[in-house]
Amino acid sequence: MNQRMFLAEFVGTAALLAGVVGSGIMAERLSPGDVGLQLLQNAIATAAVLVALILALQKASGAHFNPAVTLAARLSNELSTRVALGYIVAQFTGALLGVSLANLMFELPAVELSTKVRSGPHLLLAEFLATLGLVGVIQGVVRSGRAHLAAYAVGAYIAGAYYFTSSTSFANPAVTVARALSDTFAGIAPANVPSFIVVQLLGAVAAVPLLRRIYPHDEG
């Protein structure tokens, strides 16, 4: 088993969380009181970081940085169970490191439980659709033979999903857990984490047969 794949997932997910949480903190400080502008700054920074990380690490591991994406890849027989589990461990540990580093960069406690409540059926529906869409975009790009464009497709989708979903599109269980450890703009109260993760995984599972119907044969 190639250990560089797990290292790439660990480093990539850590960097992603540093980007998500760090840009959220910076946005709060640069634009206090203007939530709309804060969201715009956070969305642009997150999308840009994602594009860069996928371009840098896609060849090493596929650049999942997301247990939901890894689950979909396993269900599509793109990964063995052992590799998928290794990816998921690397993603969660990387996410925890990344959020701690983001907090420390801005002179905050390395771990600080979020008090930002994100609850309600509408947000769970948003997370289901956000994850369904993200996995669908990734698998659609790959199955249509354009995997080299995945970085740009994912970055564009996430930037848009920040705005068209009421939850601002977490769409990632590792990101969701890590964001509970930062009481800042990007945070989520720990009590809301389990339900977010459940619907994210359901969205990932639902995307697999949908894309098989759209692209019944791999064209990549």
Side-chain angles (χ1 to χ4, degrees):
M1 195 180 301
N2 197 330
Q3 298 301 312
R4 73 172 185 155
M5 298 187 301
F6 304 132
L7 179 60
E9 287 297 305
F10 173 80
V11 170
T13 312
L16 173 59
L17 261 297
V20 172
V21 175
S23 64
I25 297 170
M26 180 64 85
E28 278 187 313
R29 295 184 179 183
L30 290 176
S31 308
D34 191 337
V35 178
L37 187 53
Q38 290 169 9
L39 183 63
L40 177 62
Q41 293 164 347
N42 194 206
I44 292 173
T46 298
V49 166
L50 258 176
V51 171
L53 291 173
I54 294 171
L55 287 174
L57 299 172
Q58 185 176 21
K59 192 170 181 179
S61 69
H64 293 192
F65 316 142
N66 185 336
V69 173
T70 298
L71 173 62
R74 175 65 193 94
L75 294 175
S76 300
N77 295 315
E78 297 167 16
L79 296 175
S80 68
T81 299
R82 188 178 178 190
V83 170
L85 290 174
Y87 271 33
I88 291 169
V89 170
Q91 290 156 0
F92 274 105
T93 54
L96 296 178
L97 173 63
V99 73
S100 296
L101 292 175
N103 286 335
L104 290 171
M105 279 195 294
F106 289 91
E107 298 184 296
L108 297 171
V111 173
E112 188 175 30
L113 294 181
S114 176
T115 57
K116 192 159 190 173
V117 175
R118 298 179 188 264
S119 64
H122 64 297
L123 295 182
L124 298 182
L125 174 61
E127 278 302 295
F128 174 82
L129 294 174
T131 313
L132 173 68
L134 174 61
V135 173
V137 165
I138 294 169
Q139 293 217 343
V141 168
V142 172
R143 285 176 174 270
S144 64
R146 291 174 288 183
H148 61 288
L149 298 176
Y152 308 106
V154 171
Y157 177 81
I158 290 298
Y162 259 73
Y163 278 88
F164 77 71
T165 64
S166 57
S167 63
T168 67
S169 185
F170 285 42
N172 184 328
V175 166
T176 303
V177 169
R179 285 170 66 165
L181 304 181
S182 184
D183 194 20
T184 59
F185 179 78
I188 176 174
N192 303 138
V193 168
S195 56
F196 264 52
I197 291 176
V198 168
V199 294
Q200 288 162 358
L201 295 178
L202 290 174
V205 170
V208 174
L210 176 62
L211 266 293
R212 281 180 181 160
R213 290 282 293 179
I214 296 172
Y215 289 108
H217 303 291
D218 248 340
E219 297 180 28

